[in-house]
Amino acid sequence: AAGVIQSPRHLIKEKRETATLKCYPIPRHDTVYWYQQGPGQDPQFLISFYEKMQSDKGSIPDRFSAQQFSDYHSELNMSSLELGDSALYFCASSLNTYNEQFFGPGTRLTVL
Amino acid sequence: GNSVTQMEGPVTLSEEAFLTINCTYTATGYPSLFWYVQYPGEGLQLLLKATKADDKGSNKGFEATYRKETTSFHLEKGSVQVSDSAVYFCALISQGGSEKLVFGKGTKLTVNP
């Protein structure tokens, strides 16, 4: 069965640079979520989209933005990167909201 | 607000031992409950779920029962294997509220041969 695809899997950036993370949901899933997981931490919700519209927002810094495109893939744009942004970034998708969410393998971002 | 409290561990067991990881929750409304597992270096995999009181979720020998009276969703397995070594997260979605998953802190399980 098709799973959630995330790219890149690993990303190394310098402070103050920008990064773009991409997420391709499971086919026919209409809702995409982004989570951030620090080392040894539980995942923290950033933002979600339903049918290409932002549907919920969590603790996402103003330096970050995201969108969902017409083909339902989503991109998380991160600017003015800080050392503290180093984390695993997960994308998840679901069929409609409030249903089980299926996670991608994550993008490991390292900010030097 | 919604929250999940789970046994933080780490938990170390011998192969074929019985596993219990406790999870309790606080939520408005009627949450759906989940257990996710994260193997080293990998993403989160949905292990099992329950959407209403007294539902039992089960998968790969793991079980958890949605207990509304005790607001609990404890994970159990009768005989663990070395391959079960991972971090286990209890999580909820509160129906009608925010659609985000709220996670517990995770429990690291190590199973020794």
Side-chain angles (χ1 to χ4, degrees), chain B residues 10-53:
Chain B
V11 175
T12 302
L13 296 173
S14 298
E15 206 165 23
E16 299 183 3
F18 184 85
L19 169 71
T20 299
I21 301 177
N22 291 334
C23 170
T24 58
Y25 67 89
T26 302
T28 54
Y30 302 95
S32 294
L33 302 174
F34 306 88
W35 278 100
Y36 282 85
V37 58
Q38 187 172 29
Y39 297 101
E42 297 187 12
L44 292 152
Q45 297 180 25
L46 178 63
L47 183 59
L48 53 84
K49 68 173 185 177
T51 58
K52 61 183 188 294

Side-chain angles (χ1 to χ4, degrees), chain A residues 9 31 33 35 37 40-45 48-49 55-56 88 90 97-105, chain B residues 32 34 36 38 41-46 49 89 93-106:
Chain A
R9 293 293 308 277
T31 309
Y33 312 80
Y35 292 84
Q37 185 180 32
Q41 303 294 313
D42 56 300
Q44 296 295 312
F45 173 73
S48 61
F49 294 87
S55 54
D56 199 1
L88 261 172
F90 288 110
T97 54
Y98 302 113
N99 288 327
E100 60 264 41
Q101 297 176 19
F102 295 90
F103 283 75
Chain B
S32 294
F34 306 88
Y36 282 85
Q38 187 172 29
E42 297 187 12
L44 292 152
Q45 297 180 25
L46 178 63
K49 68 173 185 177
F89 290 95
I93 294 175
S94 184
Q95 300 295 325
S98 170
E99 61 207 44
K100 66 180 181 182
L101 274 166
V102 176
F103 288 91
K105 294 300 182 184

Side-chain angles (χ1 to χ4, degrees), chain A residues 18-31:
Chain A
T18 61
T20 298
L21 279 54
K22 296 185 179 182
C23 169
Y24 298 85
I26 292 172
R28 294 187 299 279
H29 280 194
D30 50 19
T31 309

